[in-house]
């Protein structure tokens, strides 16, 4: 499959801005990265302009074109918006610069645009169109072919200026290759499908090629070109109402209006059947082609670009002869616009409702349609999920609600007391356990200062020192509880939160154990003292008995001795 847009995954993650801005939701999110849905994309290029990370870029065909230039004769068809992008008022300068790059010749695409206007005029004069939509913008053409089949009957069956001009070049130079140069991405796909354009360079590509070759347009000398032929009012094409201004006279029976920007085009196409007698010039880019996705940024933007084109055309109108223009007769500029289909899956209402239910959307009032996910409605988002283009978790309100719900449940069911304070030490959140520990009886204390219920000294010191407090033992006099207090200072001093672990039972158990130990020690000491007294008493008694025994034995000895002498 040919790729027209390139992505840099490293720079693209969970942004959804391109999805929000895409007029046809041709972007899917895979692994948090945006990807183009080729079958849905109209190549308006809007995503490349709005991406804040520059993650999306236009695939360049520069290498392929350079091969063509080195291989043979190549003629460039240059979009008329070159005037504003390159700040030129003379096509001869562009022609000479392209010659230095190797192009055999260069012509303005407005030559083909003039043929397109002639074809429009012929069809309008036939009076068969209820409404008439211009076919010059390939992005608009694809939008109608894919998404607004009812409007196909109003879409002009005429080639775009690029294709018309390529056919003219091929007729005049059968041996040449044709390369279109312009500000449009959609031209790349159109060129491939047409078979008459061999390559496409964007203005950004061309600018890079000039720079690499050292070609400075302002230094190229002006060489007057022959001003023969009739006036070409089709050089107005790249500005809003430019196609309309290419008509010398309006066709009776039609109101000529211009619609710029994909969203405005969608609005008109959705209501096309309610209109009648409208000639509608449609451009997918705001301010038309001068503001194309690959146009070169200049000061004052589209306003100056518009003025530059008008100045260029007025100069052309003055310098050219006013001879009548004769349209080509031997080239068929007819284009049949056929219905195209995406590869989308069509989910049933039941499947949609099941997907919606997964994000908590079961009633109409649940459908916030906030657009944060990139889709306009919750229903569209559910359709994208069913097709694999989006994920459930892309719903920001749902994810936030789930996160808040989970956080709330974790806080409220925690066995520890939890308190969240703002920078002024006012309570933002507090759970039931914290209220119990602090002895708070009030139902709602949010917004009240923590000092009403707790000595704030530790919090103040933690904030002032920007230093956390861990597992500090604190006695709560009001409730008689003991806690281990941990205070965490939030990043950038956005507040603090505290965790209070109830250690009352452990502390009381320790105190009881200490009491038992002390009582046991006291008892032991008393027992020892008693034992010492008993021992002393026993010793005393033993001493007295021994003395008495000695006395008695001495008396007995003496008696025995006395008796033996007689």
């Amino acid at each position: 499959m040919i790729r027209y847009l390139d992505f840099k995954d490293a720079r693209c993650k969970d942004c959804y801005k391109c999805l929000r801005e895409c007029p046809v939701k041709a972007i899917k999110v895979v692994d948090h990265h945006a990807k183009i849905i080729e079958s849905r994309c109209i190549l308006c290029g809007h995503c490349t302009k709005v991406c804040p990370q520059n993650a999306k870029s236009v695939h360049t065909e520069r290498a392929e074109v350079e091969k063509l230039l080195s291989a043979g004769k190549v003629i460039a068809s240059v979009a008329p918006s070159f005037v504003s992008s390159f700040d030129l008022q003379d096509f001869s300068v562009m022609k000479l610069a392209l010659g230095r790059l190797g192009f055999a010749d260069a012509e303005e695409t407005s030559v083909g645009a003039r043929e397109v206007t002639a074809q429009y005029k012929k069809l309008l004069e036939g009076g068969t169109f209820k409404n008439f939509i211009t076919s010059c913008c390939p992005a608009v053409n694809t939008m109608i072919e894919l998404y607004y089949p009812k409007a196909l009957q109003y879409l002009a069956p005429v080639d775009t200026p690029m294709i018309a001009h390529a056919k003219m070049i091929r007729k005049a130079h059968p041996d040449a290759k044709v390369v279109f140069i312009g500000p449009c991405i959609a031209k790349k796909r159109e060129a491939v499908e047409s078979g008459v354009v061999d390559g496409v360079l964007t203005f950004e590509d061309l600018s890079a090629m000039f720079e690499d070759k050292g070609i400075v347009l302002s230094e190229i000398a002006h060489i007057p070109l022959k001003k023969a032929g009739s006036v070409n009012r089709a050089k107005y094409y790249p500005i809003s109402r430019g196609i309309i201004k290419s008509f010398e006279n309006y066709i009776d029976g039609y109101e000529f209006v211009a619609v710029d920007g994909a969203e405005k085009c969608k609005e008109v196409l959705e209501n096309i059947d309610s209109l009648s007698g409208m000639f509608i010039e449609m451009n997918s880019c705001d301010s038309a082609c001068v503001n194309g996705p690959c146009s070169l940024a200049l000061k004052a933007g589209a306003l100056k670009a518009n003025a530059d084109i008008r100045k260029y055309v007025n100069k052309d109108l003055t310098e050219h002869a006013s001879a009548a223009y004769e349209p080509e007769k031997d080239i068929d500029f007819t284009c049949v616009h056929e219905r195209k289909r995406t590869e989308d899956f069509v989910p049933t209402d039941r499947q949609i409702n099941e997907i919606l239910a997964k994000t908590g959307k079961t009633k109409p009032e649940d459908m916030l349609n906030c657009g944060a996910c990139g889709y306009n409605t919750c229903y569209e988002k559910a359709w994208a999920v069913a097709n694999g283009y989006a994920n459930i978790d892309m719903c920001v309100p749902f994810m936030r609600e789930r996160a808040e719900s989970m956080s709330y449940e974790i806080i409220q069911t925690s066995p520890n007391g939890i308190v969240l304070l703002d920078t002024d030490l006012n309570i933002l959140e507090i759970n039931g356990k914290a209220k119990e520990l602090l002895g708070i009886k009030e139902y709602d204390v949010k917004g009240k200062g923590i000092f009403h219920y707790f000595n704030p000294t530790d919090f103040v010191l933690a904030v002032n020192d920007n230093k956390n407090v861990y597992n500090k033992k604190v006695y709560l006099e009001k409730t008689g509880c003991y806690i281990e207090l941990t205070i965490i200072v939030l990043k950038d001093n956005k507040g603090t939160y505290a965790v209070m672990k109830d250690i009352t039972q452990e502390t009381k158990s320790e105190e009881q154990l200490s009491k038992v130990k002390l009582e046991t020690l006291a008892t032991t000491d008393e027992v020892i003292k008693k034992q010492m007294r008993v021992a002393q008493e026993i010793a005393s008694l033993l001493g007295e008995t021994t003395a008495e025994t000695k006395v008695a034995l001495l008396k007995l000895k003496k008696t025995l001795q006395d008796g033996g002498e007689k």
Side-chain angles (χ1 to χ4, degrees), residues 546-557:
T546 301
E548 290 174 355
T549 302
K550 182 178 179 180
V551 170
L553 289 173
L554 289 172
K555 287 181 178 180
L556 177 61
K557 179 180 176 182

Side-chain angles (χ1 to χ4, degrees), residues 349-375:
D349 288 341
R350 180 178 178 180
Q351 290 171 318
I352 290 291
N353 290 332
E354 287 175 353
I355 292 170
L356 289 170
K358 290 180 180 179
T359 55
K361 298 173 177 59
T362 57
K363 304 183 296 296
E365 54 265 32
D366 297 331
M367 313 293 178
L368 299 179
N369 297 332
C370 64
C373 64
Y375 293 93

